[in-house]
Amino acid sequence: MSGILNTLPGAVSQGLIWGIMAIGVYITYKILDIADLTVDGSLCTGGAVFVMLFTGGVNLWIALLAALLAGMLAGLVTGLLHTVCGIPAILSGILTQLALYSINMAIMGMKATVAINVNQEGMLDKLLVSLRFVQGSKGGFPLYRHPIFVVGIFTAVLIAVLYWFFGRELGAALRATGSNPNMARAQGINTEFCKVLGLMLSNGLVALCGALLSQYSGGNEIKVGQGAIVIGLASVIIGEVLLGKIFRNFALKLLSVSIGAILYYIVIQVVLKMGLNPNYLKILSAAVVAVFLTIPYWKDKYFGRKAGRGAVRNA
């Protein structure tokens, strides 16, 4: 039990970082109603761009911005393939993801792994987050440098910005596009532009997550994004199923996605501590997503039908 408790700070920290990626997935999956698989590639793109720039002496914030823009560019490609070329969204994402593998390798100098030398003098102090900071005061680091605190503030600011954006005219147009594209077009909304913009925004956040994750783990690997879409979907669905009835405000829905990512990683850490072979993590992730996707369907099919019949009889 003590071993599980000791892993909780790391699980929460990692869950918060992946929660940023999950918020990006939420934008395409829930708001735009698009199944975008670009994220498996753009996550690695963000990490690759950040590590190469940061280790080359570029300021951390500029490197983070570059990672964000690189992810948005990947989303732009997917959006153009879908809207201009007429390729279905899911296939557009697959094509972009496939191309990003080669692009990511090129960014990392044709190396499968690039590292941040945290042992280099002064390098650790420049990082925003790091696995070493999880130790807190035990490792000689101040509390304000703990990833839970740093990424927590980062996530709060991000949710506030998104809440403001989706409350504006352009953000409302994105939501209308995903809700009812035909009605949105009838209102004069350029739905093709909104789809491209939504994909750019989503993959920008995913790449930003990749940049933070590369700091946390001390480097970037070419396979870091494999299965990222499953983690994102799991976070979105867990948050919706567990907190959907309570969190109805848009900002709280975004927060529920981040909480879903934290719960997902806590479950993963608990299962690993119970002795599960790490090679079975992929099937566990798939099972978690399948279960939480099934719960709303069963609730509507069995409990919803009974409620409907009761309402008719009472009438």
Side-chain angles (χ1 to χ4, degrees), residues 220-232:
N220 189 65
E221 296 182 2
I222 193 64
K223 295 183 178 181
V224 70
Q226 286 187 355
I229 185 64
V230 177
I231 298 174

Side-chain angles (χ1 to χ4, degrees), residues 53 76 82 107 120 132 144 176 188 241:
L53 289 177
L76 174 64
H82 176 50
I107 293 173
Q120 182 179 340
R132 297 192 178 192
Y144 65 83
V241 170

Side-chain angles (χ1 to χ4, degrees), residues 18 40-41 43-45 47-48 210 213-214 217 219-228 231 282:
W18 281 94
D40 280 19
L43 183 81
C44 180
T45 301
L213 194 63
S214 65
S217 59
N220 189 65
E221 296 182 2
I222 193 64
K223 295 183 178 181
V224 70
Q226 286 187 355
I231 298 174
K282 297 294 184 184

Side-chain angles (χ1 to χ4, degrees), residues 105-126:
M105 285 293 291
I107 293 173
M108 296 192 296
M110 294 303 168
K111 298 177 182 178
T113 304
V114 288
I116 299 174
N117 186 7
V118 293
N119 294 320
Q120 182 179 340
E121 185 177 357
M123 182 63 76
L124 196 60
D125 293 333
K126 296 178 182 178

Side-chain angles (χ1 to χ4, degrees), residues 245-261:
K245 298 293 185 180
I246 306 172
F247 290 179
R248 296 184 178 275
N249 178 274
F250 182 72
L252 292 179
K253 287 183 178 180
L254 295 178
L255 178 61
S256 72
V257 172
S258 184
I259 294 174

Side-chain angles (χ1 to χ4, degrees), residues 11-24:
V12 174
S13 300
Q14 201 167 356
L16 278 170
I17 295 173
W18 281 94
I20 296 174
M21 183 273 296
I23 291 174

Side-chain angles (χ1 to χ4, degrees), residues 19-27 29-31 155 158-160 162-163 166 175 179 232-261:
I20 296 174
M21 183 273 296
I23 291 174
V25 172
Y26 181 88
I27 292 174
Y29 179 66
K30 282 294 182 181
I31 296 179
T155 302
L158 176 62
I159 290 175
L162 289 175
Y163 181 73
F166 280 102
R175 298 170 74 174
S179 178
L233 288 174
S235 304
V236 170
I237 295 163
I238 290 172
E240 183 179 42
V241 170
L242 297 181
L243 302 170
K245 298 293 185 180
I246 306 172
F247 290 179
R248 296 184 178 275
N249 178 274
F250 182 72
L252 292 179
K253 287 183 178 180
L254 295 178
L255 178 61
S256 72
V257 172
S258 184
I259 294 174

Side-chain angles (χ1 to χ4, degrees), residues 50-251:
F50 176 83
V51 173
M52 298 306 291
L53 289 177
F54 182 71
T55 54
V58 177
N59 178 270
L60 179 138
W61 295 104
I62 296 177
L64 282 175
L65 178 61
L68 173 69
L69 294 176
M72 294 182 71
L73 183 60
L76 174 64
V77 173
T78 299
L80 293 178
L81 287 174
H82 176 50
T83 58
V84 176
C85 301
I87 302 173
I90 190 168
L91 292 179
S92 299
I94 292 173
L95 290 174
T96 307
Q97 175 199 138
L98 183 65
L100 282 175
Y101 183 90
S102 298
I103 294 173
N104 293 337
M105 285 293 291
I107 293 173
M108 296 192 296
M110 294 303 168
K111 298 177 182 178
T113 304
V114 288
I116 299 174
N117 186 7
V118 293
N119 294 320
Q120 182 179 340
E121 185 177 357
M123 182 63 76
L124 196 60
D125 293 333
K126 296 178 182 178
L127 293 177
L128 191 63
V129 291
S130 173
L131 178 60
R132 297 192 178 192
F133 297 157
V134 175
Q135 300 174 3
S137 58
K138 294 181 180 179
F141 301 105
L143 180 62
Y144 65 83
R145 301 220 64 182
H146 198 288
I148 294 178
F149 180 77
V150 174
V151 185
I153 293 178
F154 203 94
T155 302
V157 172
L158 176 62
I159 290 175
V161 171
L162 289 175
Y163 181 73
W164 172 84
F165 172 76
F166 280 102
R168 304 299 98 190
E169 183 177 352
L170 183 56
L174 261 71
R175 298 170 74 174
T177 298
S179 178
N180 192 329
N182 293 328
M183 182 61 73
R185 280 191 292 269
Q187 296 297 321
I189 297 174
N190 187 338
T191 55
E192 303 297 288
F193 170 78
C194 287
K195 288 179 182 179
V196 174
L197 180 61
L199 287 165
M200 291 177 65
L201 182 60
S202 170
N203 284 281
L205 294 178
V206 172
L208 184 61
C209 167
L212 291 173
L213 194 63
S214 65
Q215 292 182 62
Y216 182 81
S217 59
N220 189 65
E221 296 182 2
I222 193 64
K223 295 183 178 181
V224 70
Q226 286 187 355
I229 185 64
V230 177
I231 298 174
L233 288 174
S235 304
V236 170
I237 295 163
I238 290 172
E240 183 179 42
V241 170
L242 297 181
L243 302 170
K245 298 293 185 180
I246 306 172
F247 290 179
R248 296 184 178 275
N249 178 274
F250 182 72

